[in-house]
Amino acid sequence: GAHREEVFDGLKLLGNVLSKEKRSSEVINFIKDTIVDLENRTQNLKSSERPTAYVGGVNYKGSHGISGTEPKFAPFQFLNARNPASSLGVEHVMVSNEKIIEWDPDFIFVDEGSYSLVMKDLNDPKFKGLGAVEERNIYGILPQSYYSHNFANVLANSYFIGDVLYPERFSDVSPVRKSDEIYSELIGESVYSKFKKDFGGFKKIEIS
């Protein structure tokens, strides 16, 4: 997202130090190509065709409830999604419950690293009138940040979110299979099932 070039510079440095320049270039090119694929799928959509999407429970120096979000949430940027929090800067922020209600996003995505905290918030009567709650447009995504970022999960989440927001643009992609392709390329192993076991995986969330 906002720090993309710093990430690539870090990978280049690692490649030089470890004498793995070829592998470093492969990883960087894979990430770049994946982002281009995501962007190309949605770049020509009109504003009216792009729903508003909010992510809550984003981990930052610990877990947070629905108010913990990321203005420059990378999957939303890659997908040209309309993030109502995008004007709040670059780094992690805490927004008020009233602001979330005012924004009334079409879709809410929940970082499953903070699942229980977010569920406690969303079951509060004050959120019952949200369009995303009434329309059952709430989805769980894999944790991608804590004290650092898991870049494989950033890309994996992007395909799942894209499939939710623009199903016709992602009809040729299975988010689960695509995730395992990403894991295989970046870490040499298909590990989506492990994330699903530990956190819940890609899923629609029902509010009781």
Side-chain angles (χ1 to χ4, degrees):
H3 303 287
R4 192 182 311 182
E5 293 306 318
E6 294 173 36
V7 173
F8 294 151
D9 287 343
L11 289 169
K12 290 175 184 176
L13 178 61
L14 284 170
N16 291 334
V17 171
L18 300 172
S19 297
K20 295 286 186 179
E21 292 90 350
K22 181 180 178 182
R23 175 59 179 154
S24 173
S25 294
E26 289 173 352
V27 170
I28 292 170
N29 289 333
F30 176 80
I31 293 173
K32 287 182 175 180
D33 290 345
T34 303
I35 292 172
V36 168
D37 177 59
L38 290 163
E39 292 175 336
N40 285 344
R41 290 171 180 270
T42 59
Q43 65 180 356
N44 63 345
L45 287 169
K46 299 176 183 177
S47 179
S48 60
E49 297 175 302
R50 295 184 289 119
T52 55
Y54 175 84
V55 59
V58 177
N59 289 283
Y60 181 78
K61 298 181 179 179
S63 300
H64 299 281
I66 189 65
S67 62
T69 194
E70 197 169 309
K72 303 303 179 187
F73 189 60
F76 291 168
Q77 290 185 301
F78 300 156
L79 295 164
N80 298 292
R82 291 191 292 151
N83 178 4
S86 62
S87 64
L88 300 181
V90 175
E91 306 302 335
H92 184 277
V93 295
M94 300 291 291
V95 299
S96 67
N97 293 336
E98 291 73 22
K99 199 65 180 176
I100 298 171
I101 294 170
E102 176 188 331
W103 287 333
D104 193 17
D106 298 313
F107 290 83
I108 293 176
F109 294 90
V110 177
D111 183 317
E112 291 175 339
S114 300
Y115 185 85
S116 60
L117 293 176
V118 177
M119 287 302 98
K120 181 179 178 181
D121 288 340
L122 287 179
N123 278 290
D124 189 301
K126 71 168 66 76
F127 291 114
K128 294 298 183 183
L130 285 176
V133 174
E134 293 182 340
E135 297 297 324
R136 300 169 63 193
N137 285 331
I138 303 175
Y139 295 84
I141 57 174
L142 302 176
Q144 62 180 51
S145 64
Y146 203 70
Y147 286 89
S148 62
H149 276 74
N150 183 320
F151 300 115
N153 280 3
V154 172
L155 299 177
N157 281 336
S158 297
Y159 277 94
F160 175 66
I161 293 171
D163 188 52
V164 170
L165 297 181
Y166 316 107
E168 70 286 351
R169 299 287 177 121
F170 286 79
S171 60
D172 62 321
V173 176
S174 161
V176 172
R177 286 200 297 271
K178 190 66 176 182
S179 296
D180 273 335
E181 289 177 16
I182 292 167
Y183 297 134
S184 295
E185 179 65 32
L186 295 183
I187 64 175
E189 184 179 354
S190 301
V191 295
Y192 174 80
S193 61
K194 296 181 181 180
F195 279 112
K196 182 177 180 179
K197 179 180 178 181
D198 291 341
F199 296 101
F202 301 141
K203 65 179 182 180
K204 172 172 276 198
I205 295 173
E206 301 291 345
I207 305 298
S208 58

